[in-house]
Amino acid sequence: MLRSILYKNKWWVLFTSLCIILSSLMMVYAGYSLSFLFRAINYSGNALNKLLNDALNVTIIWIIALILLYIKNIAKANMIRKIRKNLRNNIALKIVELNYEEFHKKDSGNYVSWLTSDVQQITQQAFIPFFTIVENIATTIFSLIAMIKLNLFIGLTAIGLFVFISVIPQLLGKLMTKVSKELSIGQEKFVEKTKETVMGYTIFKLYNLFSAFVERVNHSSDTIENINFQYSRKQSLVETFVAGVNLIGQVVLIVVTLYLAIENLTPVGAVLSVGNLAGSFFSGVGASVNSIISLKASKIVFEKFKLKKNGITSKVDLNTLESITLEDISFSYSDTPVLKNINIKFERGKKYALVGASGKGKSTLAKILLGFLSNYSGKVLFDNNELKEVLQSSIYRQITYIDQNTYLFNGTIRNNINLGEDFSDNEIYEALKKSSLLDFINNLPQGLDTIIEENGKNLSGGQRQRLALARAIIRKVQFIIIDEGTSAIDKESALEIERNLMDDKNLTIILITHNLHNEIIDKLDCVYEI
Ligand SMILES: Nc1ncnc2c1ncn2[C@@H]1O[C@H](COP(=O)(O)OP(=O)(O)OP(=O)(O)O)[C@@H](O)[C@H]1O
């Protein structure tokens, strides 16, 4: 995935890499240019003027170097911003690709961790190391060329040592991969646990359990910090090993040069130059080796976000739906049977109720109808097509579901109904009328622009459910499953909503309820008992 993200931004990557290389070279040259000032010692005649001239030149060189350094830093920051946005986009695609069962295998905190901690981990382990390698390539290559120019044998020795060192990532890569995976999983668990603790704030407050709140945070913190420490320990081990090998490499090169000098095969002065060049060569190689190990370790985190290959789908795209038929449906959660041989038919425009004692499996049946649970036996037929053969997106154009825990986003009422889609205010008012929420909205000073706070805490339970109904109605979905969707509403309001829905000839209503009002029973075509 790293490759595809970098490829997607290839021109920016190229520009940033160029800035990095130019800036490195310019900084080296600027450092070297200071020696120009010493030429003044040998100046005769108008020495001060010449010295000032040299000083001006050196200043200009430094100004250019500093401007390049600034441009490089901005280019790098901009590049990191772009590729991090790309990465989050890919992670979001991965999340929406998951089906209902896959998504619910993990707590939602894990997905928050993907988009926060994992993005941070990948930045540290892959994106920044990638540019570190680019930054060091120039230094490594230039010091190698200089050594070859000094003496071919010294250059060949440096190449030999480089080949030897380049095996290190293969040797130590696995060590870092393991801790990298542990770090990513640990961060998921940390976010999951702290999210859960913070969500339970009211309970801790109600029962005066302040210390339990702090203790839970501390416990999660201990766990993640231990994992962080293990990661840093392994990383230090790798860095120390690489530094050790580099040191040996430098000693070998100096010894070889000394030997060549003793044998008069190279001038004695070369020893000093090789000392310097070997230093920059091995610091470049060392930084690159550490970065390559880090890059290898990040692969395991990228793996989590790999998208499935999109084959050509042969699934049925439903444009209309006349009926849904359940034939001999049985379902178990693990080994616990919940539904047994259910046979039901829902026809377009008709009104149904599903009744049954608590825990009998009414919500489970709804989830099967929506394709959320696939491990059933028997058949769910959308007209004549088995549900598993129907394109998922087309299922939700035909059928929708309002359960007891409607989720509302922070934002306006309008945005909570259109959910980013293009609906006119008139359409929104029409849907609100049908869900019996229009009077309430009209009485709000800000109307549709009223801001809904975190998960609708400034709305009553009934208002939240009516808003959810408006979302479904505006999308003209034909089949609406209301899973005790009116349970939080007083009897009169509940009846008003149900009456409105029952009177709409186009809608198919499947009401999952414990309380069937007499007035509603008369409007139902069929009551199924589960
Ligand atoms: N994800 C799950 N994993 C395991 N068991 C589950 C799961 N969801 C529900 N159950 C169990 O399956 C049974 C049926 O649950 P379901 O929610 O379908 O019942 P229900 O008839 O809708 O109940 P209620 O009227 O109280 O909402 C219950 O015993 C419940 O504990």
Side-chain angles (χ1 to χ4, degrees):
M1 187 189 284
L2 173 66
R3 221 171 292 156
S4 79
I5 291 179
L6 292 176
Y7 186 74
K8 212 170 180 181
N9 295 285
K10 55 185 177 297
W11 296 116
W12 276 108
V13 171
L14 224 62
F15 173 70
T16 311
S17 304
L18 204 68
C19 287
I20 289 172
I21 293 169
L22 277 180
S23 166
S24 304
L25 287 178
M26 200 60 200
M27 284 309 277
V28 173
Y29 181 61
Y32 172 70
S33 74
L34 288 174
S35 65
F36 298 170
L37 298 173
F38 291 97
R39 291 189 301 212
I41 295 167
N42 300 322
Y43 287 151
S44 56
N46 201 351
L48 181 65
N49 258 357
K50 287 179 183 166
L51 174 62
L52 287 177
N53 201 30
D54 281 346
L56 183 70
N57 284 339
V58 171
T59 312
I60 291 170
I61 291 171
W62 269 101
I63 289 173
I64 295 173
L66 291 175
I67 291 173
L68 269 174
L69 180 72
Y70 175 74
I71 294 175
K72 172 200 94 171
N73 284 340
I74 298 291
K76 213 167 134 183
N78 182 47
M79 192 66 253
I80 297 276
R81 175 178 68 165
K82 276 183 183 297
I83 53 188
R84 275 163 69 109
K85 274 164 62 176
N86 263 209
L87 176 63
R88 282 211 187 85
N89 178 69
N90 283 11
I91 297 174
L93 285 173
K94 178 72 203 176
I95 296 173
V96 290
E97 182 195 82
L98 299 173
N99 64 37
Y100 180 89
E101 283 159 307
E102 287 167 335
F103 180 83
H104 285 282
K105 272 187 197 146
K106 286 175 180 275
D107 180 271
S108 55
N110 288 263
Y111 303 111
V112 176
S113 177
W114 286 13
L115 289 159
T116 52
S117 313
D118 280 344
V119 170
Q120 195 55 26
Q121 188 175 340
I122 287 175
T123 306
Q124 297 301 332
Q125 285 189 339
F127 296 154
I128 293 178
F130 172 79
F131 290 114
T132 307
I133 295 171
V134 173
E135 209 156 0
N136 282 284
I137 277 177
T139 326
T140 312
I141 292 176
F142 284 112
S143 16
L144 184 65
I145 291 173
M147 283 191 280
I148 292 173
K149 282 195 97 180
L150 264 174
N151 183 297
L152 184 63
F153 189 69
I154 297 172
L156 289 176
T157 313
I159 292 174
L161 290 166
F162 174 77
V163 172
F164 174 69
I165 292 174
S166 58
V167 185
I168 297 178
Q170 303 296 337
L171 292 177
L172 300 182
K174 275 203 183 99
L175 190 77
M176 289 310 292
T177 303
K178 188 165 169 272
V179 277
S180 176
K181 189 178 180 183
E182 282 166 10
L183 182 64
S184 174
I185 294 171
Q187 278 161 342
E188 280 184 10
K189 292 272 163 275
F190 175 72
V191 178
E192 178 184 326
K193 292 268 181 247
T194 35
K195 187 205 92 178
E196 197 204 2
T197 305
V198 173
M199 301 271 282
Y201 173 81
T202 315
I203 306 292
F204 292 112
K205 193 91 183 158
L206 271 178
Y207 296 102
N208 285 327
L209 294 170
F210 310 114
S211 55
F213 182 89
V214 176
E215 224 167 78
R216 283 174 75 110
V217 172
N218 285 344
H219 182 258
S220 314
S221 171
D222 275 355
T223 315
I224 187 65
E225 286 317 320
N226 282 342
I227 296 172
N228 271 331
F229 177 69
Q230 291 306 327
Y231 183 83
S232 303
R233 214 166 59 100
K234 294 262 165 63
Q235 196 177 31
S236 304
L237 192 75
V238 168
E239 282 177 7
T240 312
F241 183 75
V242 172
V245 173
N246 283 347
L247 194 72
I248 295 170
Q250 286 186 51
V251 172
V252 170
L253 268 184
I254 292 171
V255 168
V256 167
T257 317
L258 271 170
Y259 174 74
L260 292 173
I262 291 165
E263 294 290 320
N264 280 332
L265 294 169
T266 194
V268 179
V271 180
L272 195 69
S273 309
V274 169
N276 281 333
L277 290 170
S280 49
F281 175 72
F282 281 108
S283 78
V285 171
S288 302
V289 166
N290 282 325
S291 300
I292 290 169
I293 292 174
S294 185
L295 268 174
K296 276 180 164 286
S298 70
K299 241 184 173 172
I300 196 90
V301 190
F302 277 116
E303 283 293 311
K304 291 204 294 196
F305 312 128
K306 219 174 180 178
L307 297 172
K308 289 175 193 155
K309 291 237 173 346
N310 267 340
I312 296 166
T313 177
S314 54
K315 294 204 167 183
V316 181
D317 192 356
L318 279 181
N319 287 319
T320 57
L321 181 62
E322 292 304 320
S323 69
I324 302 175
T325 315
L326 302 175
E327 281 182 16
D328 261 342
I329 291 295
S330 300
F331 182 82
S332 307
Y333 283 112
S334 305
D335 290 332
T336 315
V338 176
L339 297 169
K340 199 153 187 275
N341 303 112
I342 304 287
N343 288 287
I344 290 178
K345 186 164 187 174
F346 301 111
E347 287 178 61
R348 185 179 171 146
K350 294 193 173 172
K351 318 290 182 256
Y352 302 88
L354 281 181
V355 295
S358 178
K360 279 283 193 180
K362 303 182 293 296
S363 304
T364 303
L365 191 72
K367 285 177 187 158
I368 290 175
L369 278 174
L370 290 151
F372 288 175
L373 302 172
S374 54
N375 205 14
Y376 55 83
S377 66
K379 281 185 183 165
V380 179
L381 296 173
F382 274 48
D383 291 340
N384 292 319
N385 310 292
E386 165 54 47
L387 175 59
K388 287 171 191 162
E389 300 307 320
V390 179
L391 203 63
Q392 247 198 13
S393 54
S394 78
I395 296 175
Y396 307 122
R397 282 203 299 268
Q398 307 299 336
I399 184 166
T400 195
Y401 176 74
I402 297 164
D403 75 353
Q404 299 152 24
N405 310 304
T406 288
Y407 188 81
L408 298 180
F409 296 92
N410 300 359
T412 60
I413 289 182
R414 178 187 288 103
N415 291 344
N416 261 283
I417 293 174
N418 65 28
L419 300 174
E421 292 188 293
D422 214 8
F423 291 110
S424 69
D425 280 4
N426 274 347
E427 287 173 295
I428 295 178
Y429 285 128
E430 193 58 36
L432 286 170
K433 194 172 162 197
K434 285 193 179 158
S435 67
S436 312
L437 200 61
L438 192 57
D439 288 346
F440 169 73
I441 305 288
N442 280 341
N443 281 328
L444 291 171
Q446 309 277 329
L448 289 178
D449 292 317
T450 306
I451 298 285
I452 292 179
E453 290 169 19
E454 190 183 344
N455 198 16
K457 65 184 175 199
N458 53 340
L459 296 182
S460 75
Q463 287 158 350
R464 286 204 294 267
Q465 290 178 340
R466 285 184 239 186
L467 218 145
L469 258 176
R471 269 179 190 163
I473 290 168
I474 203 168
R475 286 174 173 77
K476 300 196 166 48
V477 184
Q478 300 295 329
F479 288 67
I480 302 183
I481 305 173
I482 304 175
D483 190 349
E484 294 190 334
T486 51
S487 63
I489 310 178
D490 62 274
K491 190 179 164 195
E492 257 323 296
S493 313
L495 267 173
E496 191 189 341
I497 297 172
E498 287 169 12
R499 229 183 275 130
N500 274 350
L501 293 173
M502 294 297 164
D503 289 344
D504 191 325
K505 289 193 174 54
N506 292 317
L507 289 180
T508 310
I509 301 293
I510 303 168
L511 198 63
I512 299 179
T513 183
H514 295 278
N515 315 306
L516 265 184
H517 305 296
N518 283 338
E519 195 183 334
I520 297 300
I521 292 176
D522 295 340
K523 294 179 186 282
L524 292 171
D525 290 282
C526 189
V527 178
Y528 289 114
E529 178 141 9
I530 300 290

